[in-house]
Amino acid sequence: MGLFSATAIVMGSMIGSGIFIVPADMSRVLQSPALLIAAWLVTAVMTIIGALSYGELAAMMPKAGGQYVYLREALGPLWGFLYGWTLFLVIQTGTIAAVGVAFGKFLGVFVPSINTTHWLWHIGHVPAWHVGPMVLGNMDLGVNTANLVAILIIVFLTFLNTHGVKTGAAVQNLFTSAKVLALAAVVLVGVVVRDPAAIAANFGAGWKSFWAGAGWNTLHVSQFGGSEYVGLLTILAVVQVGSLFSADAWNNVTFTAGEIRNPKRNLPLSLAIGTGVVLLLYVLCNFVYLSVLPLAGDPHATTIAGRGIQFATEDRVATAVMERAFAGYGAKLMAIAILISTFGCVNGMLLAGARVYYAMSRDGLFFKSVGKLSERSKTPVNSLWVQCGWTCLLCLSGSYAQLLDYVIFAVLIFYILTIAGLFILRRTRPEAPRPYRAIGYPVLPALYVVMAAWICFVLLRYKPQYTWPGLFLVLLGVPVYLVWRRQDAAAGAEAAELETTGT
């Protein structure tokens, strides 16, 4: 893969359906146009700093496995395994499942029989189980038409990717180009189609309405439906669950480092270009939403404008904007854009994720068969199919949405540890080749660590239902790691004994 394909993986993995629905949830908490934009700018700053920092690690260690390798080399094999374990259990596979089911839901715009309530085989409902602040269970098991579509596209794209990285990259290039054009089209709509009432409500004379509720001394409800009031920096940290998740998966290109041409140059460039372009489009899209729909709305209103951004039907803000601009067929135009977006996102994440489990297997920390490359296609075929199988099970279980709620905290923890590893490797391996050095080091990487640590602290305090389960999932990997290490050591000892006996 060259620079274009690597950049396409970054952009394709980042652009999912989150940007089209997350702003509604964020706006209900923030209740201020300026804070909505500020939250996305915080995400943009953090993500770009993270990408620039990862660029140094990627150029220094251009090997398959990416972040798993960086954590292993900087902090030790346990931390690398815990990342790979969480990636397989939830982060990568859960995201693929969620995006795949979103594809099925939006396909239902054209084929109404495809939805999450049309059951082909309903096994049953798992009741809610309250454990402290957590609510586990509360999900349906079985096959409905939406998750069946998700499974079909996951299996189909896995099959395509087994035919070689060129095939997967070609699909990614095509759909990433289409996704960027779709986002750009939404931005263009905001330039051409504006609603005077929405602009007056969200901006007002001299942007007075825009800045309303965004003062340093303004207090905000800690979370939707809560009763505790917090300051500006805290409320911005609370809503990062949505925006950071929408901008996540930018690091996926590092997983495929072993198959990128001139990775020491192309990896840092693809990370910088990909994250920069996508996040600029994300911020512009939110300005578009504010120019077409009022931020505040009534959940019981019967019109698109009356519901506003806060209560857009099923939180589909972009769909509401397009329907407002192109009455009668705007929703279908948006559905096509989201279908393209989700299809490309699934492909990019399938392509990238399998390379991590391949690297883990080569280190004796995953099934041995996963560490083999196909002689014909030179791709980790077994790793792709193992990933496919677990992802399909998550689709059937209906648990992916709940797991993803829990995982953003764990994702942040691993980002903090990886960037901290940049400081450690500068000290422990000062002579290692570094074709690219992180821009702004040490200030910008340190700023990322501080910002991410603050968000983690706030989430622990104000959203424990999202944080403690994530920590539990990560720590569950410790005994699994010990088992894998013991088995690998036993296998090594047996091989050594056989070699000795044979000689």
Side-chain angles (χ1 to χ4, degrees), residues 122-423:
H122 190 210
I123 298 172
H125 178 78
V126 179
W129 177 33
H130 294 268
V131 182
M134 300 178 284
V135 180
L136 306 177
N138 194 30
M139 58 193 178
D140 289 290
L141 305 178
V143 182
N144 55 54
T145 49
N147 66 23
L148 177 60
V149 167
I151 290 169
L152 290 175
I153 68 162
I154 289 165
V155 171
F156 172 69
L157 288 173
T158 297
F159 175 74
L160 280 185
N161 277 283
T162 62
H163 283 71
V165 71
K166 287 185 178 179
T167 304
V171 172
Q172 196 62 27
N173 293 345
L174 174 64
F175 280 88
T176 296
S177 300
K179 288 196 287 186
V180 172
L181 289 174
L183 272 179
V186 173
V187 174
L188 185 61
V189 166
V191 174
V192 177
V193 181
R194 296 186 178 187
D195 184 274
I199 291 174
N202 293 329
F203 297 94
W207 287 46
K208 185 176 180 180
S209 299
F210 179 79
W211 295 105
W216 283 101
N217 297 321
T218 305
L219 294 179
H220 308 266
V221 177
S222 62
Q223 55 182 312
F224 189 66
S227 58
E228 186 171 351
Y229 288 86
V230 297
L232 179 66
L233 295 180
T234 300
I235 198 65
L236 285 175
V238 167
V239 299
Q240 290 301 308
V241 168
S243 54
L244 280 174
F245 179 75
S246 295
D248 197 28
W250 52 268
N251 62 329
N252 272 217
V253 71
T254 67
F255 303 162
T256 64
E259 295 160 284
I260 293 175
R261 291 196 302 271
N262 193 8
K264 294 180 179 181
R265 169 186 175 271
N266 290 337
L267 273 174
L269 274 176
S270 64
L271 283 164
I273 295 170
T275 55
V277 171
V278 171
L279 288 160
L280 175 62
L281 287 171
Y282 276 14
V283 173
L284 291 176
C285 277
N286 278 271
F287 271 110
V288 168
Y289 300 156
L290 292 170
S291 68
V292 179
L293 294 174
L295 182 78
D298 181 351
H300 305 294
T302 57
T303 65
I304 294 174
R307 296 181 70 88
I309 293 174
Q310 289 181 337
F311 299 102
T313 303
E314 295 188 23
D315 286 351
R316 296 174 184 170
V317 180
T319 302
V321 167
M322 294 297 284
E323 189 65 22
R324 185 98 168 127
F326 305 103
Y329 58 93
K332 290 186 176 180
L333 288 174
M334 198 66 245
I336 291 171
I338 294 175
L339 286 172
I340 293 170
S341 175
T342 50
F343 191 86
C345 184
V346 168
N347 182 72
M349 297 194 75
L350 285 170
L351 186 154
R355 274 65 183 175
V356 177
Y357 322 131
Y358 163 79
M360 291 172 65
S361 176
R362 303 289 291 181
D363 289 341
L365 296 174
F366 209 57
F367 302 110
K368 277 189 176 180
S369 61
V370 171
K372 297 178 181 178
L373 292 177
S374 165
E375 291 184 7
R376 180 180 57 82
S377 63
K378 304 302 179 185
T379 56
V381 171
N382 293 339
S383 184
L384 282 161
W385 284 117
V386 167
Q387 175 182 248
C388 174
W390 179 247
T391 305
C392 290
L393 283 175
L394 289 179
C395 288
L396 291 175
S397 72
S399 62
Y400 55 85
Q402 189 176 80
L403 289 170
L404 288 173
D405 282 342
Y406 299 156
V407 83
I408 192 62
F409 178 77
V411 169
L412 274 176
I413 292 293
F414 285 118
Y415 282 153
I416 291 171
L417 290 173
T418 304
I419 293 179
L422 179 65
F423 291 90

Side-chain angles (χ1 to χ4, degrees), residues 428-467:
T428 59
R429 300 187 187 178
E431 303 304 322
R434 289 178 171 83
Y436 162 83
R437 288 179 174 264
I439 295 173
Y441 179 92
V443 176
L444 290 183
L447 177 63
Y448 182 97
V449 171
V450 170
M451 293 174 73
W454 170 249
I455 293 170
C456 288
F457 171 77
V458 170
L459 292 179
L460 278 169
R461 171 66 180 82
Y462 295 103
K463 290 204 168 186
Q465 70 271 31
Y466 292 125
T467 52

